[in-house]
Structure formats: C-alpha cells, structure tokens
Amino acid sequence: MKTIQEQLRQWANRTADAYHQLATDPNHPECDLAFYTQSDLTKIDSPPELLILAINPGSGGSYSDQINNPNWHLPGRMTGERLLQGNPFFDQHKSWHLWKVLQNIFSRGNIACLLDDERKYVWTNLTFFNTPEANKIPSNARDLISQTRMLINILKPRWILCLGVNVTNYLTLHNTAKTLIPPKELVSGIYDGIPIFGIPHTSKRYSNEEMNMIGSCLGYLFNAESMDLVTPELIRAKFGDKIEAWRNRQYKFDFEELCGEIGKRLGEPFKKDPKTSRYDFTKGTALTITKAGSGYVGIRAKRGAGKDWNSNLENRDKYARILLDDYRWELKSQWLGIKQFKYIESIGKFIEELSAINKLFDQVS
C-alpha cells in the first residue's frame, strides 16, 4: 500500500497538470490565474487531525506572472512537486489577520494546540485559483474542486473546518447540513464519515462575543462522541449564554445621531426614508446607512444596475481593497464593503474612519 506521501505526490502531479491546462487554455483566458494550495503538504506523513478549508486564495495575479515570479522557482510552469510545497509565503501565516483570529477562536475552546504542529493540520482551499474576491472565480474553475475532494480522500482528516459556512455546501449532500447557530454562524455536516463544521471566514471582523461563542462550541464539537446527537437545541442548551451575549452585543448609538454626524461631513442625503439614508461619498460612490437586517453602513457606486452594481465604477477594485484590507469591512453582494452597526464602537471613531477612507478613495481617483 502506498504511503500518504506517495499518494500526495501522485495527486499533486495530476492536480498541477489539470490546473495548468485550464490556466493556459486559449478558450478560457479568464482562467489565466495564479494557483496554489496553502500549507506545506510535504510535512504530512499521517492523517492530520484537522483540515482547514476556505473557498480560494484571496489575492490576485495571473498564472503567467506566477511562472515568472522568482519566489515560486518554477521551471516554466507549476509542477506537482512545487504545488505540494504550498504557498511560499506560508511561513509568515502566523502574522496574518485571518490566522490570528482563528487562533483566538480556538483558544476560547481550549483547542489552540491543534494549530501548533504543521504535521497535524492542513490548510487548503476548495479551488486553488487566486482571485481578490470569491465571486470572481471563473465557472470553469469550479470543475477542479473535484481535485480538492481527492485530496480530502487521501488525507482522511479527523475534522474539517470550513472558513465560510457556504463552503460546506460543496462537501455535504443537498440539505443535509445542519444550522447549529443561525443565521450563518455555525453549521455542521458529514463528508464520507468526517465531521464538517462551517464558521464565518476569519478574514472578517469578529467581536469578542462571537469568538467566544464559536470557540466554545467548536471545543465541544471536536470532542463530541457522535454528531448524530448534536442538534441546534443541544447547542442552545449548552451555550445559550454565549449565544445571547453575541446576539445582544450592540454598541449603543442613536441612528438619527449617526445620520446627523455623517450629514455634517457629507451634506444632506440625496435619498432618505425612515430606515435608510444615502449620501454622496466620493466621485461616483455613495454611502448608505440603513436599519435593514441588523443595521449596517455600506459603500458602492452611486449608480448601478443588475447583479454587479459596481461593474462600471472606475477603481472599484482599489476601493474594495481599502475597505476590506485596510479597514476590515465585510464583502457583500452589490457593495464594495459594509460595516455592521454592531462593529461601530462609537460615532466619533466611526466618523474618523470614514474621513480616512474618503481621503484614500480620493487618492486613487
């Protein structure tokens, strides 16, 4: 029987070939994207305790550029050997925001030791193609998710943790995933006998209450004797206090006061109703304050239409990067970024943040 490393090398050669063929296919120029997995799979000599699975690498760049990038040391194309070694910058991962948040969450459930030894966990993605936003993954690239399923079948981890609750949909049978904490805080399922858990991606901004709630639940679930017995009701009974602390976490400010302070900086809203106010923000962009859902502030193109509201906005990607990378706003359909009311610590600090974002937007215009 082949060792796990022999199986991984065979898998890596086939996977590198499959991605290379699609990335260089003249019929699919949209797939000319850099691709890689994350942690170093050459360190794995037995089934890991944990597989951390996100949707895809969230940066950017073409495959053509990757081939010529000296950091990759590629002989004119991606090879199975190089793919197996993962992201060449992974040695810096402990300084990454999303990793620090994950460690913080795990520490709340007394399971942080799972992240100490790179032989005991694997971090990878459903698709290896690198895009700044997950919704920019080409449809043809999703066919290669089958390669990730093959990887899971080789690794046979004890648990799978999905960063992004929707990632579980690719591994579980239709409608079999259970929502343990609604609406999208914690889900569970089974893949070929392996327990799967999905949480919000750790690149987003977590509150202390949210980390405490999810970490405590994961600590319990990773030690549960049988997932068949785990229900939303059980989670509620065991962690109701932490769930309520998360749900009730609201920074106290008055909606009208927030609108008034923003109006002082941006002028009167060009559209207003009892729940929503919209303001000119910078050239071509508008800021919205709304009580819809749990309440949020959002920035997008002033005028748009269709599924991609910002499609005609000049510098849209640069604007989005400022919001998502520099200020940890959240990505949401139709928006460059949003910030939920519960993450606004005070009106004063938030006005300062908006002023800084406004200046950065003007600099790239």
Side-chain angles (χ1 to χ4, degrees):
M1 184 176 178
K2 293 181 179 179
T3 67
I4 194 169
Q5 268 302 309
E6 289 171 334
Q7 294 178 69
L8 287 172
R9 283 195 294 272
Q10 187 177 51
W11 166 84
N13 288 333
R14 291 175 178 173
T15 301
D17 286 345
Y19 273 87
H20 170 80
Q21 289 173 13
L22 183 54
T24 58
D25 188 340
N27 295 316
H28 295 290
E30 75 280 5
C31 292
D32 179 16
L33 299 167
F35 62 87
Y36 52 90
T37 184
Q38 294 288 356
S39 59
D40 186 349
L41 291 171
T42 65
K43 296 180 179 180
I44 304 301
D45 54 16
S46 61
E49 291 285 293
L50 178 65
L51 172 67
I52 303 163
L53 187 65
I55 186 72
N56 79 313
S59 183
S62 69
Y63 182 46
S64 309
D65 292 338
Q66 182 183 25
I67 290 171
N68 296 313
N69 187 329
N71 291 311
W72 285 94
H73 304 288
L74 295 174
R77 58 154 290 174
M78 178 65 75
T79 64
E81 179 182 7
R82 188 63 195 80
L83 183 70
L84 206 62
Q85 295 169 12
N87 184 343
F89 299 102
F90 191 73
D91 59 354
Q92 304 170 21
H93 74 280
K94 291 184 179 179
S95 67
W96 297 349
H97 170 80
L98 61 86
W99 190 261
K100 289 180 179 179
V101 173
L102 186 63
Q103 283 187 310
N104 201 335
I105 290 170
F106 274 38
S107 69
R108 313 291 177 111
N110 296 315
I111 51 175
C113 58
L114 291 172
L115 304 178
D116 291 340
D117 188 342
E118 290 186 32
R119 297 170 300 175
K120 300 298 183 181
Y121 71 84
V122 167
W123 178 16
T124 190
N125 296 284
L126 274 174
T127 174
F128 299 161
F129 278 129
N130 192 11
T131 61
E133 299 173 15
N135 61 7
K136 302 299 182 185
I137 302 170
S139 57
N140 287 292
R142 296 181 185 273
D143 294 338
L144 295 178
I145 290 175
S146 60
Q147 299 300 127
T148 304
R149 292 193 183 98
M150 292 179 191
L151 174 61
I152 297 172
N153 294 339
I154 294 170
L155 292 172
K156 295 181 174 60
R158 185 175 178 184
W159 304 290
I160 298 173
L161 178 66
C162 297
L163 303 185
V165 293
N166 292 332
V167 176
T168 60
N169 297 334
Y170 292 89
L171 299 180
T172 56
L173 295 175
H174 183 60
N175 290 333
T176 60
K178 293 187 289 188
T179 300
L180 299 178
I181 303 178
K184 292 184 177 181
E185 285 296 309
L186 180 61
V187 300
S188 69
I190 297 292
Y191 174 78
D192 196 23
I194 304 169
I196 304 174
F197 307 104
I199 64 174
H201 200 292
T202 53
S203 61
K204 89 175 190 75
R205 186 172 180 176
Y206 273 73
S207 66
N208 283 325
E209 290 81 359
E210 190 174 16
M211 288 190 289
N212 199 36
M213 173 186 69
I214 291 178
S216 298
C217 290
L218 290 178
Y220 170 76
L221 293 169
F222 280 9
N223 291 286
E225 292 185 6
S226 172
M227 285 304 299
D228 292 337
L229 303 177
V230 176
T231 64
E233 292 74 21
L234 177 64
I235 294 298
R236 180 76 188 182
K238 287 185 172 295
F239 303 102
D241 58 335
K242 294 177 174 58
I243 293 172
E244 284 305 307
W246 165 68
R247 292 198 187 285
N248 293 331
R249 184 183 191 273
Q250 294 287 341
Y251 286 107
K252 304 300 181 182
F253 64 83
D254 182 78
F255 177 78
E256 293 300 330
E257 182 184 355
L258 176 61
C259 291
E261 289 300 317
I262 288 179
K264 291 179 183 178
R265 301 298 179 98
L266 301 179
E268 291 298 311
F270 63 81
K271 187 175 182 179
K272 183 176 182 179
D273 61 43
K275 289 187 176 181
T276 303
S277 293
R278 304 186 192 280
Y279 305 81
D280 288 309
F281 189 60
T282 58
K283 181 180 179 181
T285 67
L287 180 141
T288 295
I289 312 171
T290 181
K291 294 180 181 178
S294 58
Y296 62 88
V297 178
I299 297 176
R300 65 180 182 181
K302 184 175 180 180
R303 294 179 179 83
K307 293 182 178 180
D308 189 349
W309 182 273
N310 301 295
S311 58
N312 295 321
L313 179 64
E314 188 176 357
N315 296 314
R316 56 171 289 174
D317 291 339
K318 292 181 180 179
Y319 291 153
R321 292 269 66 84
I322 290 170
L323 294 174
L324 303 180
D325 292 346
D326 295 352
Y327 288 93
R328 298 296 174 192
W329 286 37
E330 298 173 49
L331 180 65
K332 188 176 181 181
S333 176
Q334 305 285 7
W335 298 91
L336 297 168
I338 70 162
K339 185 163 188 173
Q340 297 182 59
F341 285 171
K342 64 183 178 181
Y343 298 127
I344 297 177
E345 298 184 33
S346 70
I347 290 178
K349 288 183 178 180
F350 184 59
I351 294 298
E352 292 177 3
E353 181 175 307
L354 283 181
S355 297
I357 292 170
N358 190 286
K359 290 179 182 177
L360 290 173
F361 273 31
D362 282 339
Q363 289 174 10
V364 300
S365 296

